[in-house]
Amino acid sequence: KQEVTQIPAALSVPEGENLVLNCSFTDSAIYNLQWFRQDPGKGLTSLLLIQSSQREQTSGRLNASLDKSSGRSTLYIAASQPGDSATYLCAVRPAAAGNKLTFGGGTRVLVKP
Amino acid sequence: DVKVTQSSRYLVKRTGEKVFLECVQDMDHENMFWYRQDPGLGLRLIYFSYDVKMKEKGDIPEGYSVSREKKERFSLILESASTNQTSMYLCASTYVDRGLYGYTFGSGTRLTVV
């Protein structure tokens, strides 16, 4: 059974520092991996989608890498801002489970001004 | 942009009431999903649907049912609401494919059962 882990569960950094968020998964048979952002009391906003054949995706200050063989993805947020404070969730779409995502527990990020 | 719209942001219902949570998507997605999210438990799949009138149980279907009469609309029904169903409910949709597309989520419905 696929398991997705995000460590640390919480992270606090000063404004301007780069953020590095980790996601690991146990089964490398995946279609894709998706990073989401969730603000308190809100829904999930998709940040980046990486196909299983890709190594990385970039959008503005965000860069996500994928190493499928080792079961790892990393989300980098450059030059963090207080507005980046949120919970970040990664989710994998297992090849064996159709369209059902498996989520990590999330990393809660606080960027201090 | 794909939009997934949940009809209510906040709901307060009484124990024993029948509750309907509505979700509509505007991009002709075949797949639709209902999750609930609780502190410490993460997101848990309640039900999902691959097509109109088709539904499958997720990980925690007890106490819930669903309806999908039209492709764009997926309703979650709490037959007799209980306090342990107080939670954040999230709807999502995606295309049927081999992972070329991601999931799109709605803004969530915070349900409180008193």
Side-chain angles (χ1 to χ4, degrees):
Chain A
K1 181 185 173 184
Q2 177 78 265
E3 292 183 1
V4 181
T5 304
Q6 292 183 249
I7 295 173
L11 186 60
S12 179
V13 299
E15 182 177 2
E17 196 166 295
N18 296 333
L19 280 165
V20 180
L21 306 179
N22 298 304
C23 173
S24 61
F25 48 96
T26 55
D27 188 343
S28 62
I30 64 170
Y31 285 144
N32 61 38
L33 183 145
Q34 198 166 358
W35 282 95
F36 295 91
R37 169 187 171 134
Q38 186 176 32
D39 294 296
K42 303 285 181 65
L44 276 65
T45 300
S46 181
L47 297 174
L48 289 167
L49 174 72
I50 311 177
Q51 306 297 332
S52 60
S53 58
Q54 297 175 319
R55 297 285 295 191
E56 66 176 354
Q57 278 286 342
T58 298
S59 176
R61 294 184 295 112
L62 276 61
N63 174 278
S65 66
L66 174 65
D67 184 343
K68 201 174 69 164
S69 60
S70 67
R72 293 181 189 172
S73 177
T74 303
L75 178 66
Y76 300 90
I77 303 177
S80 62
Q81 305 168 356
D84 295 327
S85 299
T87 296
Y88 293 84
L89 294 146
C90 72
V92 299
R93 188 159 168 174
N99 292 286
K100 293 183 285 182
L101 291 182
T102 302
F103 283 88
T107 295
R108 189 169 68 253
V109 171
L110 175 64
V111 180
K112 298 178 182 177
Chain B
D1 275 354
V2 177
K3 277 200 171 177
V4 176
T5 303
Q6 295 183 230
S7 54
S8 304
R9 287 295 307 278
Y10 301 96
L11 276 178
V12 180
K13 296 293 181 180
R14 296 194 178 279
T15 300
E17 274 193 77
K18 190 169 186 176
V19 180
F20 293 85
L21 302 183
E22 305 288 344
C23 176
V24 177
Q25 50 92 5
D26 66 358
M27 276 299 289
D28 206 33
H29 284 172
E30 297 91 352
N31 294 350
M32 296 188 76
F33 306 82
W34 275 106
Y35 290 87
R36 66 177 281 178
Q37 185 179 31
D38 301 285
L41 296 176
L43 279 100
R44 294 180 290 170
L45 181 63
I46 305 171
Y47 266 97
F48 59 103
S49 170
Y50 288 130
D51 203 347
V52 176
K53 296 192 187 294
M54 297 186 70
K55 59 186 178 185
E56 290 195 31
K57 294 179 180 179
D59 300 319
I60 52 163
E62 295 78 19
Y64 303 95
S65 62
V66 291
S67 172
R68 194 162 180 204
E69 296 296 319
K70 293 185 178 181
K71 193 174 187 178
E72 67 270 19
R73 186 180 296 270
F74 191 36
S75 302
L76 180 69
I77 304 160
L78 285 66
E79 296 290 344
S80 178
S82 63
T83 55
N84 63 14
Q85 293 178 309
T86 291
S87 186
M88 168 70 96
Y89 290 87
L90 294 163
C91 176
S93 70
T94 191
Y95 290 111
V96 172
D97 59 52
R98 284 178 173 261
L100 293 177
Y101 299 94
Y103 276 44
T104 301
F105 278 81
S107 55
T109 296
R110 170 72 65 183
L111 173 66
T112 302
V113 182
V114 298

